[in-house]
Amino acid sequence: MIGRAAGMAALLAGFATLAIVLLISYDVAMRSFFQQPQLFVDEVASFLEVLVVFAGAAYTFRTGGHVRVDLITGHVRRPLRAWLRVVTLTLGIVFLAVVVWVTTRSGITAWHYGRVSAVMLYPLWLPMLFIPAGLALMALAMLVTLVRQVRAALGSTSARDEVAPETVE
């Protein structure tokens, strides 16, 4: 279920990328050929960029597409590396929980006070809630990986290592 939600969010991020390209192309054409810049494009494209980044985070994590720095873990024995991954996943989930909480409260506050964008007066609460929604989905994907990692760390000695990224359906 988490995999399907992450895949759908990534697909939505892909469509948002396409929309950004089309909107900016439209703005450039209108500005260059008709001297009529489209003011809404800057704001909508910015909102969609937030969607692209945070909607694709869970899918990127699940497939192992995130950036890793193996300066420490490359030289550590497999059983210890398995437990190190448990610790880092746990810390990552706690960090994401805090960020989700703070950004959710920020989005709710924007809705409560009726905050709007500067140029076209779009409500800001919706794009602000893209951030906690995407990060919450990523935290759930990390939680699933954490469960798999704990099982691997507690399993047989030969199987104690970092779990591989999930396969994409």
Side-chain angles (χ1 to χ4, degrees), residues 79-102:
L80 182 58
R81 189 169 46 217
W83 285 108
L84 183 61
R85 181 82 192 272
V86 168
V87 169
T88 58
L89 283 169
T90 303
L91 288 173
I93 292 168
V94 168
F95 173 76
L96 286 177
V98 170
V99 175
V100 165
W101 172 256
V102 170

Side-chain angles (χ1 to χ4, degrees), residues 13-37:
F15 283 126
T17 303
L18 177 63
I20 290 169
V21 169
L22 293 174
L23 283 169
I24 291 175
S25 298
Y26 172 69
D27 182 40
V28 168
M30 292 299 289
R31 183 181 313 226
S32 299
F33 299 119
F34 302 108
Q35 286 73 40
Q36 294 180 353

Side-chain angles (χ1 to χ4, degrees), residues 124-168:
L124 289 178
W125 63 268
L126 182 60
M128 289 176 80
L129 290 179
F130 290 158
I131 297 169
L135 292 180
L137 185 58
M138 183 175 176
L140 288 174
M142 288 176 74
L143 185 61
V144 169
T145 303
L146 177 62
V147 169
R148 291 177 49 229
Q149 186 63 53
V150 168
R151 286 183 185 150
L154 294 173
S156 65
T157 307
S158 62
R160 291 183 186 167
D161 200 356
E162 292 182 83
V163 294
E166 297 181 38
T167 57
V168 179

Side-chain angles (χ1 to χ4, degrees), residues 3 7 59-60 62-64 165-169:
Y59 180 82
T60 303
R62 285 189 71 245
T63 59
E166 297 181 38
T167 57
V168 179
E169 296 92 31

Side-chain angles (χ1 to χ4, degrees), residues 102-119:
V102 170
T103 55
T104 300
R105 288 186 46 93
S106 180
I108 291 170
T109 301
W111 175 72
H112 179 70
Y113 288 112
R115 288 186 56 204
V116 293
S117 64
V119 177

Side-chain angles (χ1 to χ4, degrees), residues 48-64:
L48 290 174
E49 287 169 8
V50 172
L51 177 67
V52 168
V53 169
F54 291 100
Y59 180 82
T60 303
F61 175 80
R62 285 189 71 245
T63 59

